[in-house]
Amino acid sequence: MSKCNVVIEKDLVSQEVGFLSFFNGTSWSDLNRQFFDQLAPKYDRLNNVLSFGRHQSIKKKAISRLPVIEGQSILDLCTGSGDIAHIFAAMDPSLNVLGLDASVEMLNIATRKTAQFKKVSYMHGDALNTGLMDASFDGIFIGFGLRNLQSIEAGLTEMNRLLKPGGWLSILDLGKPSGYLKQSLYHLYFERWIPFLGKRVFHKGEFNSFEYLPKSNRYYPNPDVIAGMMSECHFRNITIHEYLLGGIVQHIAVKP
Ligand SMILES: C[S@@+](CC[C@H](N)C(=O)[O-])C[C@H]1O[C@@H](n2cnc3c(N)ncnc32)[C@H](O)[C@@H]1O
């Protein structure tokens, strides 16, 4: 099996993360969409709590590493509440930014957030099968989205198809801190404290998204494997950048 073709059994993940006790659906994508639809009103607050208020500055830093040029067409895949689209547009209003997401509730928030920017638009769709034309974008950003897709391979293949030759890809997602101290801190914070906080304070009686985070990350490959998958899916010049002690990782690559 090629490294690009790491199969993650999403039926098992649905069970493990507890989707089946809260939502009705037969496919991973259906359950995941219901999860994000119900989370949408709390999503921005959740990010602030989880990242100690640092997710915006991390997203800005990640964007600052990219070879963005005036007037480029950028796809913000799995745009969610539109943070990434907003940062691109605020940085350079000449950019044409399209945000795509499967959750209508998330897109409603994103649309309000970027209403002042004329060149930001949104599309409801599936990152694995966007229906957009080949080679339509100079750059693609996917923030905390790859971990949520039914198939990482299918996602990377679609991103490769959508990029122009020479176009850049940036993947920002959870990482796997290495080393005893970082791993212990990660375990204590993500696997113990955060799920407890979610259950007792943030999500009383609701699906606990604070538990989804560490559980979904257990099934997400480590950064080196993701880099290998990107290479197998024909991306080149792959670099890896760590934030928050490796708790968040960015992959940057180019389509030759
Ligand atoms: C954790 S949020 C990330 C939002 C945003 N990019 C950010 O950085 O804050 C993940 C988003 O991926 C979307 N998503 C999950 N699977 C998708 C798919 N197959 N196609 C499009 N969007 C998807 C969800 O609806 C959700 O809004």
Side-chain angles (χ1 to χ4, degrees):
M1 190 191 298
S2 77
K3 275 192 187 159
C4 186
N5 198 12
V6 173
V7 175
I8 297 165
E9 192 38 82
K10 288 292 193 186
D11 286 349
L12 268 180
V13 185
S14 299
Q15 217 165 7
E16 168 69 10
V17 301
F19 277 173
L20 300 176
S21 323
F22 278 84
F23 310 116
N24 286 316
T26 48
S27 67
W28 168 263
S29 52
D30 195 17
L31 293 162
N32 195 262
R33 182 189 46 72
Q34 289 176 50
F35 163 52
F36 280 108
D37 270 342
Q38 60 92 48
L39 179 62
K42 291 186 170 181
Y43 181 72
D44 285 346
R45 257 186 301 145
L46 168 136
N47 274 340
N48 284 329
V49 173
L50 291 177
S51 69
F52 311 104
R54 291 196 52 203
H55 72 106
Q56 288 284 352
S57 61
I58 291 170
K59 287 168 175 168
K60 282 181 188 157
K61 177 71 190 165
I63 285 174
S64 76
R65 293 186 191 275
L66 303 172
V68 179
I69 296 170
E70 201 181 332
Q72 278 190 333
S73 288
I74 295 173
L75 175 62
D76 177 22
L77 216 48
C78 299
T79 188
S81 64
D83 267 2
I84 304 284
H86 186 275
I87 295 169
F88 274 118
M91 182 180 86
D92 181 350
S94 77
L95 299 171
N96 290 289
V97 184
L98 175 65
L100 184 145
D101 203 279
S103 159
V104 171
E105 299 300 330
M106 285 287 210
L107 286 173
N108 287 340
I109 294 169
T111 306
R112 286 198 293 275
K113 196 181 278 177
T114 54
Q116 76 269 36
F117 297 110
K118 300 278 176 293
K119 292 193 166 190
V120 177
S121 55
Y122 292 101
M123 176 180 159
H124 181 228
D126 183 354
L128 303 183
N129 183 15
T130 60
L132 296 164
M133 275 170 48
D134 291 1
S136 329
F137 296 97
D138 300 293
I140 298 181
F141 198 108
I142 178 164
F144 306 97
L146 196 63
R147 188 169 33 91
N148 289 290
L149 301 183
Q150 167 85 42
S151 157
I152 294 175
E153 178 199 19
L156 290 172
T157 303
E158 179 70 351
M159 291 178 229
N160 198 281
R161 183 185 76 73
L162 293 172
L163 274 178
K164 296 176 187 172
W168 52 262
L169 169 65
S170 168
I171 301 170
L172 190 68
D173 217 308
L174 296 181
K176 315 242 182 193
S178 56
Y180 180 74
L181 187 63
K182 285 189 202 170
Q183 271 175 1
S184 305
L185 282 172
Y186 176 87
H187 181 76
L188 205 67
Y189 184 66
F190 266 104
E191 307 253 350
R192 300 277 175 198
W193 171 240
I194 282 298
F196 175 79
L197 198 67
K199 190 172 169 191
R200 293 296 162 92
V201 182
F202 206 81
H203 282 303
K204 274 187 187 162
E206 300 170 348
F207 180 86
N208 187 357
S209 65
F210 286 42
E211 240 174 68
Y212 174 76
L213 209 69
K215 283 184 175 169
S216 65
N217 198 30
R218 272 183 223 156
Y219 292 88
Y220 187 56
N222 75 38
D224 287 342
V225 175
I226 294 288
M229 295 170 84
M230 293 168 78
S231 171
E232 292 283 333
C233 289
H234 312 293
F235 287 100
R236 296 293 174 261
N237 302 348
I238 301 162
T239 55
I240 301 179
H241 310 270
E242 291 191 347
Y243 306 87
L244 285 184
L245 301 174
I248 294 179
V249 168
Q250 179 183 24
H251 290 78
I252 302 176
V254 170
K255 172 180 171 172

